[in-house]
Amino acid sequence: FFFLMIRRPPRSTLFPYTTLFRSGKCPACGAWNTIVEQPERPKGAGKGASVRVGITRRRACPVTDLTADEEIRFPTGMGELDRVLGGGAVKGSLVLVGGAPGIGKSTLMLQICSKLCEFSKVLYISGEESEHQLKLRAKRLHVESQQLLVLSETNLGDVLEAVNTEQPDVLIVDSIQTLYNDALDAAAGSVSQVKDCTLSLMQVAKGQEITVFVIGHVNKEGSIAGPKVLEHMVYCVLYFEGDQHTSYRILRAAKNRFGATNEIGVFEMRDEGLAEVENPSEMLLSGRPEDAPGTCVTCVMEGVRPGLAQLQALVVSAAGGNPRRTSNGFDYNRAAMLLAVLEKRGGLKVSACDAYLNIVGGLSLDEPAADLAAVIALASSYLDRPVPSDLVAIGEVGLTGELRSVNQLGQRVSEIQRLGFRRCVVPAHRAGTIKAPTGLTVIPARNIGEAIRAALRPAE
């Protein structure tokens, strides 16, 4: 007997997985519906077939001969959007705005047209709404300008032809999942269509110096629908987040080649459209209960902006033998670690209790500076003793219960004093390095035991 052994080539992370058979699931990465049929190159297509007609080949040049001019920025009319973009939109860039359906992406893009049309021509491509529907929404948002051109089209060829004819300064595509290239044998919104259409729009942005805003929907996992390479192709990726049952929206930068990625913009959805929230701290602290156990305020940094957030905790006796742990807006594993530290180093028997931790306002805190506020809120709920309403806690908690320093503590303390708080618990070894503003008392603490005793004692 003769056995024919066929050795499969090793998988590579640099090249895509290829197969000769149809498959719903990729054997390499495990993702579904990501294998795209690629037609075979016709015979005789040599080197000259890949050369595009009318485009001059570019030659490599030394880096010393390149110019490093500053990018050209212009305001969008939304201060919060300009903050997230790094100071304004960049000419010739491709920006991807993602978010859940109905969160307000189209409203945001249509509102900035009112300001952009004052000094530039804007072409709005609507693949989901007709011209009549878009006119009704523009009328509700009070967007009226002769410089705003609207086209309801989903064919990529017709969109590119309209761009060449109108020569706009800003192009808005709503949305990328509705565009399709009729040269591809795939449905609109598929992996190959989304990738090909985005690549064509990127060439338009680079070749004609047009600022392109592309709207994209997100899938069930919370990421932008389509191939992951879509986020690598664009210059900037913005996520529009928020609960549809609340009026507040948060715009967050996940990628930005021309600015920081840790900036956020806060908006409020009203009947007349999105309104900017210039002071998010007051918004997040509005409606805070007085003398209620299980709540504490902390100060976190979102980019260069300090903001106050309210943490709420609820610790109750477990009904069964397996206590339940739930966190909303706070990392689950870190919350479990803080509960273990609170029991081991703080002396509170929370292992037999159900623990719930929530961040008010829909924020997601991933900064270690919120550890101390979470511990104090949990201890306050367990002991049923309220935290004074004029107290803020800042600090990272270690596994031995010690309090570690955080960055930009002076800027945080200034923001706390500005909003009317009178006391602030900080790590002891950083208390002497900051200058407390007038009217604010800085309380040093070396570990969580000292911090809990200082926070839960009656106000003087």
Side-chain angles (χ1 to χ4, degrees):
F1 297 93
F2 297 92
F3 296 93
L4 179 61
M5 300 181 63
I6 302 177
R7 183 187 178 199
R8 185 179 64 179
R11 297 174 181 172
S12 174
T13 59
L14 299 179
F15 300 96
Y17 184 87
T18 58
T19 178
L20 297 178
F21 306 96
R22 295 183 178 271
S23 179
K25 182 178 180 182
C26 178
C29 63
W32 290 88
N33 301 325
T34 57
I35 297 182
V36 182
E37 181 180 0
Q38 183 69 29
E40 184 181 0
R41 174 184 292 184
K43 295 182 179 181
K47 187 189 306 182
S50 60
V51 180
R52 291 172 291 179
V53 179
I55 297 181
T56 307
R57 284 183 175 271
R58 304 182 62 181
R59 300 184 59 182
C61 62
V63 68
T64 54
D65 296 342
L66 299 177
T67 59
D69 299 332
E70 293 290 335
E71 63 271 3
I72 302 176
R73 292 184 180 270
F74 56 90
T76 62
M78 284 279 189
E80 295 296 304
L81 177 59
D82 292 340
R83 181 197 299 273
V84 178
L85 290 175
V90 179
K91 185 177 181 181
S93 63
L94 179 59
V95 180
L96 178 60
V97 182
I103 203 66
K105 305 181 298 296
S106 301
T107 302
L108 177 64
M109 290 293 101
L110 191 58
Q111 278 190 247
I112 66 174
C113 294
S114 179
K115 177 65 176 180
L116 294 176
C117 291
E118 294 180 1
F119 55 87
S120 60
K121 181 188 292 187
V122 181
L123 177 58
Y124 195 106
I125 305 297
S126 177
E128 300 181 350
E129 295 178 318
S130 63
E131 287 91 346
H132 177 70
Q133 294 173 335
L134 194 61
K135 172 62 178 180
L136 294 177
R137 189 153 53 89
K139 185 178 180 180
R140 178 174 58 88
L141 300 176
H142 306 288
V143 179
E144 297 288 342
S145 177
Q146 292 291 334
Q147 292 291 96
L148 176 59
L149 307 178
V150 177
L151 177 63
S152 180
E153 184 57 61
T154 57
N155 188 283
L156 178 63
D158 296 338
V159 170
L160 298 180
E161 183 179 355
V163 171
N164 294 329
T165 303
E166 302 296 340
Q167 292 295 315
D169 301 306
V170 179
L171 175 64
I172 299 177
V173 179
D174 183 13
S175 65
I176 189 62
Q177 280 83 13
T178 59
L179 283 186
Y180 71 95
N181 186 358
D182 50 9
L184 299 178
D185 294 333
S190 62
V191 175
S192 57
Q193 288 284 5
V194 171
K195 181 178 178 181
D196 184 80
C197 294
T198 306
L199 181 61
S200 300
L201 295 176
M202 183 182 64
Q203 293 175 352
V204 170
K206 288 183 177 180
Q208 304 184 26
E209 291 295 324
I210 298 176
T211 303
V212 182
F213 290 91
V214 175
I215 296 177
H217 298 297
V218 299
N219 51 26
K220 295 181 179 179
E221 289 77 17
S223 58
I224 297 179
K228 196 66 177 178
V229 71
L230 181 63
E231 300 185 14
H232 298 283
M233 295 167 59
V234 301
Y235 293 88
C236 182
V237 179
L238 306 180
Y239 278 94
F240 210 36
E241 306 170 350
D243 190 355
Q244 295 185 4
H245 303 288
T246 61
S247 59
Y248 294 105
R249 304 287 186 265
I250 296 177
L251 184 65
R252 191 184 306 272
K255 171 188 175 182
N256 193 356
R257 293 181 181 175
F258 304 108
T261 58
N262 50 5
E263 293 285 355
I264 67 168
V266 183
F267 300 87
E268 182 181 3
M269 180 64 76
R270 300 177 181 176
D271 294 337
E272 63 274 10
L274 290 169
E276 301 179 67
V277 179
E278 298 181 357
N279 195 343
S281 299
E282 294 181 354
M283 177 268 294
L284 296 173
L285 297 179
S286 61
R288 186 164 59 103
E290 298 289 341
D291 298 330
T295 178
C296 187
V297 179
T298 188
C299 185
V300 295
M301 296 297 297
E302 294 289 351
V304 297
R305 171 197 289 182
L308 270 64
Q310 179 186 358
L311 289 85
Q312 292 183 343
L314 180 62
V315 180
V316 295
S317 299
N322 188 15
R324 184 176 181 180
R325 305 283 189 261
T326 303
S327 63
N328 183 24
F330 199 90
D331 184 68
Y332 176 82
N333 295 325
R334 195 162 191 87
M337 182 197 73
L338 294 178
L339 286 169
V341 174
L342 183 60
E343 178 166 358
K344 182 71 175 180
R345 308 301 178 187
L348 302 182
K349 301 299 182 181
V350 295
S351 59
C353 300
D354 295 338
Y356 305 89
L357 192 61
N358 177 52
I359 310 299
V360 179
L363 283 180
S364 296
L365 302 184
D366 54 359
E367 190 180 7
D371 290 351
L372 182 57
V375 169
I376 292 177
L378 291 168
S380 173
S381 178
Y382 179 84
L383 299 174
D384 200 23
R385 295 170 57 185
V387 178
S389 59
D390 61 346
L391 184 138
V392 179
I394 306 174
E396 179 183 357
V397 177
L399 290 179
T400 60
E402 84 281 6
L403 299 185
R404 308 183 66 87
S405 62
V406 297
N407 58 349
Q408 300 176 333
L409 186 58
Q411 190 174 356
R412 300 173 194 257
V413 170
S414 299
E415 178 70 10
I416 293 171
Q417 186 272 339
R418 188 182 69 85
L419 292 177
F421 291 88
R422 295 186 300 172
R423 291 184 290 172
C424 180
V425 181
V426 298
H429 60 281
R430 287 293 307 275
T433 61
I434 59 175
K435 183 178 180 181
T438 305
L440 182 67
T441 302
V442 176
I443 304 175
R446 292 174 298 178
N447 50 55
I448 61 172
E450 295 182 3
I452 292 174
R453 287 191 293 270
L456 299 184
R457 67 183 180 184
E460 299 178 359

